[in-house]
Amino acid sequence: MSKGTIGVTSDNIFPVIKKFLYSDHEIFLRELISNAVDATQKLKVISRQPSAVSIPMDDLRVRVTIDKKKKTLTVSDHGIGMTADEVDKFINQIAFSGAEEFLNQYKDKAEAIIGHFGLGFYSAFMVSKKVEIFSLSYREDAKAVHWSCEGSPEYTMEDTIKAERGTDIVLHIDDEFAQYLEDATIEGLLKKYCKFLPVEIAFGKKKEWKDGKEVELDEENIINDVNPAWTRKPADLKDEDYDKFYHELYPTQMDEPLFHIHLNVDYPFNLTGILYFPKIKSNLDVHRNKIQLYCNQVYVTDEVENIVPEYLTLLHGVIDSPDIPLNVSRSYLQSDNNVKKISGYITKKVADKLAELYKADKDGFAKKWDDIKMFIQFGMLTDEKFYEKATGFALLKNLSGEYATLDEYMDKVRDKQVDKDGNMVLLYTNDPDAHYTFIERAKAKGYDVLLQDGELDVHCMSQAEQKHEKLRFVRIDSDTIENLIKKEDAAKDAYTDEQKEGLRKAFEALLPTSEDKLRYNVTCEAAAADALPVFLTQNEFMRRMKEMAAHQQGLSFYGQMPESYNLVLNTSHPLIQELVGKEVSEQVNEEVEKDGKKETVLKTVCKLEGEDDRMKQLIDIALLAGGQLKGEALAKFVNRSVELL
Ligand code: ADP
C-alpha cells in the first residue's frame, strides 16, 4: 500500500471543490458517468487498432447502483480501466487531463470523448466523505488497483482483486447529501443528464405493474437512447422519427411540432442538432420546454441564450457541440468567436429551411403561419440578416384569409392602392368588428384590407416602411378612405372656409366635455355622400407611436399623450349640407383668468339655431360607431332618439 499527497498547487483543494467549483452539486453524477462513458469509448477505439490484442467487448454498459446500508453510490464501467501508474498520473496529479493526452494520441480516430468538463472526477468530493476507485486496466497482465481518499489531500493506493475489466467509482455519500441515496433522485438526474449518452447506462431493473403491484423484471432499466435522432443522418430519418424524438425530449408535451430543422456542420466548428418549431398555446409552454444544449451527447444546460439568437430561444430541440466553451461566464460566451459563428449559422439555417418550406408548399406553410409568425417577426425585428432572408417567406394575411409575402401582396394591390403621389397604401385593421363600416367603404372601392392583429405587427409595418420608400400602412379607421388613398379626382365641397369654420365651431361647442385622456378634433371633409354624416378617425402616426410605446422604453413620451380622435364632418352628406350656412355668430361674455386675476372678455361663438339636438345626435352616432358612447352619454342618446322619433 502506498500513501501520498495529491499533486495540486493549492494545499487543500477539497474545500474549494465543495464550495466554489460547482454551485450545482448534482453535476457530480454527470461528471462520473461522462468519465465512464469516455473510458468505454476509448476501449472501442483501441479495439479497432490493427495492433490491438483481442479485447472482449460483450458487456459495455455503465451501471449505477445504490447501497443504502453502506450509504454508497457506485458508478461502474467496463471501459479501459486504469493501472496503478495511470491512477497516479490521472487522478493524483490533478493537473494532467487524461482525456487531453488520449486525444493527442488518437487525434482523428477518437470517438466522442466527453472529458472536457474540467475537474470531472474530483467533483465526487462535493457530495462524498470518501471516494474509492477499484480499477482493472484492459492491458495484458494488468493488476487491479484500489485507491481511496477521504476528502483530504492524502490518499492510499494498493493492489486489489477485481474480476472484471473497468472501473468502479464508489462514493460514500455525506449525510448532508442523503438525497443522492434515493432511487428517485438518481433516476431523475440520470434522465436529465444522461438521456442521450452514446453508451448504455443501466440503473436497477425494469419495473412493470402486475395485479396492482409494481414488480421488478429481470431486464435492466436502461436510461438512455444511445442513438438519438440528431446523431443520425437526415436521410435515414422520416418525419415520424423526428416527431418521436420530440416526445422523447419533452415527455410531457402532447402536441406535435410544426416542423423541424436538422443542423449539421463540421466546419469551421462542430455542431449537430434538431430544432423544432412548436405550437405555442400559452406563455407557459414557452418557458416549460427549452432548447437543450449537449456536448457529445452529455446534457449541459437549457440556458442557451447566448448561443442561439434570442428570437430562436423560443424554439424547442437540441444543439450538440463540443466547440462551445462550457464552464465559462456568460459575458465570455458573448464575445467568443465560435459562439458568434454558431449563432450566425443557426440563423442562416433556420431562414433557409423556412424559405424552402414556403417554396415547396405555399398553402401548407400559410396554414402554419399564425403559429410561427411570432418567431419570424421577432427575428426580423432583431436581426438584420434574418430580416433579409425572411422577406421571402414572412406573410401578410388579408380579411379573406389569403396569405402573401409583402412583395406578392404589393403586386396584387398595385393597380388600385397607389395614391396620386405614387405611394403604395396598404390598408389594415386589427379589429374587423370595430372597423366594420370603414372596411365596407374600402371594399366598395375595390381595395383590399389586411388583418394585422398580432403583437408585433405594428413594429413590423414600421420596419417595412423604413425599407420601402413609397410604402405606407394605414389602419382603416385612421381617416376617410378618400383621404387614405388620395386620387387626382378627389371630391371637393363647394363651401367657403368661413362656412366650414362656423360649422366646426358649432359642433365643437357641443362636444362631450372630454376627460384628460381623450381629445376630439373637429374637421370638415368631403367624404363619400353615402358615408356617415359625422364619424371618428384616429391619426395613424400618433396611434402607432402609442402602441409601440407599450413595448419600447424610448417612446414612453407617446404613451403619456392623451388619446386623440378626429371628429369628421362629412360635407358631402345631405344632413351636414343642410346645416352649412345656418350658423349665426353670437358675442358672449366669458370669464377668463389672466395674470391671476379674473377678467371678462367678449367671445364669438357659433351656434345653429334650433339644431342642437340634431347635432348632438350626429355626434353621438359618430361616437357610437366608434365604440365610444358609454354610460350616461349612451342613455341620453337613447332617450333623445326616442324623443326625436
Ligand atoms: P477529465 O475527464 O476532464 O480528463 P477527470 O478528473 O474527470 O478529468 O479525469 C481524469 C482522468 O482520469 C481521465 O482523463 C481519465 O484518464 C481518468 N479516468 C477517470 N475516470 C475514469 C474511468 N472511469 N475509467 C478510466 N479512466 C478514468
Side-chain angles (χ1 to χ4, degrees):
M1 175 151 120
S2 68
K3 282 191 178 186
T5 309
I6 289 163
V8 285
T9 40
S10 145
D11 195 60
N12 192 341
I13 187 124
F14 296 104
V16 182
I17 291 168
K18 279 203 174 182
K19 292 214 183 79
F20 304 115
L21 190 57
Y22 298 106
S23 43
D24 256 353
H25 285 119
E26 61 181 43
I27 59 100
F28 79 91
L29 192 60
R30 174 187 80 182
E31 299 296 307
L32 296 183
I33 291 185
S34 295
N35 282 348
V37 167
D38 269 0
T40 311
Q41 300 284 69
K42 286 174 186 171
L43 191 77
K44 287 189 200 162
V45 175
I46 289 165
S47 74
R48 274 188 239 123
Q49 299 291 312
S51 60
V53 285
S54 118
I55 302 172
M57 304 281 286
D58 42 340
D59 179 11
L60 292 181
R61 273 180 194 166
V62 170
R63 293 185 174 79
V64 180
T65 46
I66 292 173
D67 186 327
K68 284 207 165 122
K69 278 206 194 101
K70 291 188 188 151
K71 298 189 181 171
T72 58
L73 175 74
T74 303
V75 177
S76 313
D77 66 67
H78 288 159
I80 53 170
M82 286 178 277
T83 61
D85 280 353
E86 284 165 337
V87 172
D88 191 42
K89 188 171 164 198
F90 297 140
I91 303 295
N92 295 339
Q93 296 173 42
I94 199 166
F96 279 95
S97 171
E100 218 164 82
E101 183 170 305
F102 181 85
L103 268 184
N104 282 337
Q105 204 175 334
Y106 291 95
K107 248 180 197 133
D108 307 320
K109 293 173 217 111
E111 280 187 58
I113 305 298
I114 300 164
H116 61 274
F117 285 112
L119 277 174
F121 169 75
Y122 277 89
S123 63
F125 287 97
M126 293 195 297
V127 298
S128 316
K129 49 184 178 231
K130 176 170 155 187
V131 179
E132 292 179 279
I133 303 174
F134 295 88
S135 194
L136 176 62
S137 165
Y138 76 100
R139 292 172 205 277
E140 264 175 304
D141 306 324
K143 281 199 201 116
V145 57
H146 172 213
W147 177 95
S148 174
C149 179
E150 301 199 5
S152 67
E154 280 95 41
Y155 64 87
T156 62
M157 208 155 71
E158 62 193 349
D159 287 350
T160 187
I161 294 172
K162 187 176 186 300
E164 289 175 326
R165 180 202 64 229
T167 306
D168 298 340
I169 308 284
V170 182
L171 310 189
H172 297 262
I173 301 290
D174 241 331
D175 292 341
E176 203 187 320
F177 296 106
Q179 74 265 32
Y180 297 122
L181 294 170
E182 297 300 327
D183 288 359
T185 312
I186 296 302
E187 180 146 5
L189 290 180
L190 291 173
K191 289 223 163 98
K192 176 170 173 188
Y193 289 108
C194 307
K195 213 156 98 178
F196 301 113
L197 279 175
V199 173
E200 283 184 335
I201 314 294
F203 181 62
K205 301 278 186 209
K206 257 204 177 134
K207 290 185 184 123
E208 207 180 61
W209 284 95
K210 224 176 190 175
D211 308 325
K213 274 194 307 210
E214 209 178 29
V215 289
E216 257 186 17
L217 306 178
D218 278 345
E219 213 182 316
E220 281 189 303
N221 171 32
I222 303 296
I223 296 291
N224 53 333
D225 170 1
V226 294
N227 289 312
W230 83 85
T231 63
R232 290 154 64 191
K233 285 201 204 82
D236 297 340
L237 293 161
K238 296 198 199 71
D239 282 349
E240 297 92 87
D241 297 317
Y242 285 105
D243 287 354
K244 203 175 134 228
F245 178 65
Y246 182 70
H247 294 298
E248 228 179 287
L249 206 53
Y250 306 112
T252 57
Q253 177 82 329
M254 292 301 150
D255 286 320
E256 299 298 326
L258 294 163
F259 47 80
H260 63 264
I261 298 171
H262 200 136
L263 308 166
N264 199 342
V265 228
D266 42 36
Y267 183 82
F269 49 83
N270 243 296
L271 180 137
T272 49
I274 300 173
L275 295 179
Y276 292 94
F277 274 76
K279 252 197 185 132
I280 294 187
K281 285 208 198 114
S282 65
N283 269 343
L284 225 117
D285 282 351
V286 175
H287 297 292
R288 195 176 55 195
N289 297 321
K290 295 191 193 164
I291 295 178
Q292 301 179 0
L293 180 66
Y294 287 77
C295 182
N296 291 323
Q297 294 173 243
V298 188
Y299 173 86
V300 180
T301 178
D302 61 4
E303 316 229 328
V304 298
E305 282 76 8
N306 291 310
I307 294 151
V308 174
E310 198 188 354
Y311 60 97
L312 293 179
T313 54
L314 299 179
L315 298 187
H316 293 166
V318 295
I319 291 174
D320 188 333
S321 175
D323 289 334
I324 298 171
L326 295 168
N327 291 326
V328 293
S329 74
R330 269 157 198 276
S331 54
Y332 178 80
L333 262 189
Q334 260 163 347
S335 61
D336 185 81
N337 257 339
N338 256 341
V339 172
K340 270 193 207 144
K341 277 189 213 140
I342 286 172
S343 168
Y345 166 78
I346 292 173
T347 297
K348 182 178 169 323
K349 194 74 196 195
V350 169
D352 288 349
K353 174 76 180 192
L354 290 165
E356 187 190 304
L357 283 170
Y358 182 58
K359 229 166 124 192
D361 175 13
K362 286 194 178 186
D363 289 342
F365 188 87
K367 281 205 190 92
K368 291 174 182 154
W369 175 252
D370 292 342
D371 287 305
I372 61 172
K373 173 173 167 173
M374 196 170 71
F375 300 111
I376 294 176
Q377 291 188 328
F378 189 13
M380 292 173 85
L381 291 165
T382 52
D383 183 335
E384 191 62 27
K385 282 216 177 93
F386 186 77
Y387 173 88
E388 279 159 28
K389 291 194 176 253
T391 51
F393 53 77
L395 301 183
L396 295 166
K397 177 182 173 180
N398 73 5
L399 286 180
S400 325
E402 295 159 345
Y403 292 85
T405 64
L406 177 60
D407 285 340
E408 290 166 348
Y409 187 73
M410 289 199 293
D411 283 344
K412 180 180 149 164
V413 301
R414 184 159 281 123
D415 276 354
K416 295 213 162 118
Q417 292 180 216
V418 175
D419 69 10
K420 64 184 172 54
D421 303 318
N423 293 308
M424 159 96 49
V425 182
L426 302 186
L427 305 169
Y428 71 95
T429 173
N430 64 339
D431 187 347
D433 283 339
H435 301 152
Y436 183 83
T437 31
F438 290 101
I439 292 166
E440 288 306 301
R441 302 221 66 78
K443 281 190 180 161
K445 287 202 175 275
Y447 298 153
D448 195 73
V449 182
L450 292 167
L451 178 64
Q452 295 281 69
D453 57 355
E455 287 260 333
L456 297 176
D457 284 343
V458 174
H459 299 264
C460 287
M461 289 186 280
S462 297
Q463 186 183 33
E465 286 167 343
Q466 277 161 27
K467 305 273 177 188
H468 297 80
E469 211 183 310
K470 298 226 135 197
L471 175 69
R472 278 194 307 121
F473 283 87
V474 286
R475 201 166 87 179
I476 196 80
D477 64 331
S478 53
D479 207 333
T480 65
I481 192 68
E482 290 76 17
N483 276 344
L484 289 181
I485 307 181
K486 273 201 175 118
K487 301 284 186 180
E488 288 302 353
D489 50 7
K492 289 210 177 69
D493 55 49
Y495 307 114
T496 65
D497 286 350
E498 288 80 49
Q499 284 175 315
K500 284 191 273 190
E501 186 59 15
L503 191 67
R504 238 180 40 71
K505 286 228 167 97
F507 270 90
E508 218 164 54
L510 294 178
L511 276 177
T513 39
S514 68
E515 313 143 35
D516 290 351
K517 288 264 149 221
L518 212 61
R519 192 175 288 164
Y520 297 103
N521 213 350
V522 184
T523 61
C524 291
E525 298 279 354
D530 58 350
L532 282 178
V534 180
F535 53 83
L536 290 182
T537 63
Q538 192 181 23
N539 178 275
E540 173 75 18
F541 177 77
M542 285 307 295
R543 197 210 69 246
R544 215 193 272 186
M545 283 304 163
K546 277 181 86 71
E547 280 174 24
M548 287 169 62
H551 294 267
Q552 255 160 289
Q553 286 202 322
L555 295 173
S556 62
F557 155 75
Y558 289 104
Q560 286 153 17
M561 304 269 289
E563 199 76 56
S564 99
Y565 291 88
N566 297 317
L567 186 84
V568 184
L569 310 178
N570 178 5
T571 52
S572 306
H573 197 283
L575 280 175
I576 294 297
Q577 289 174 340
E578 276 178 34
L579 299 175
V580 189
K582 283 194 180 174
E583 330 62 48
V584 283
S585 305
E586 234 176 48
Q587 307 275 326
V588 291
N589 282 323
E590 203 180 85
E591 247 186 19
V592 291
E593 239 185 58
K594 209 176 171 190
D595 304 328
K597 276 186 268 168
K598 284 208 170 135
E599 264 179 38
T600 309
V601 293
L602 211 55
K603 229 182 138 189
T604 315
V605 292
C606 278
K607 278 203 149 177
L608 290 170
E609 220 51 65
E611 295 288 358
D612 275 12
D613 268 358
R614 185 133 68 124
M615 291 197 297
K616 276 187 193 153
Q617 197 72 359
L618 286 171
I619 291 172
D620 283 354
I621 286 171
L623 296 179
L624 187 69
Q628 293 187 15
L629 200 62
K630 294 186 183 111
E632 193 187 346
L634 180 60
K636 276 189 181 160
F637 168 75
V638 172
N639 289 337
R640 198 183 321 114
S641 301
V642 174
E643 277 163 29
L644 283 171
L645 284 170

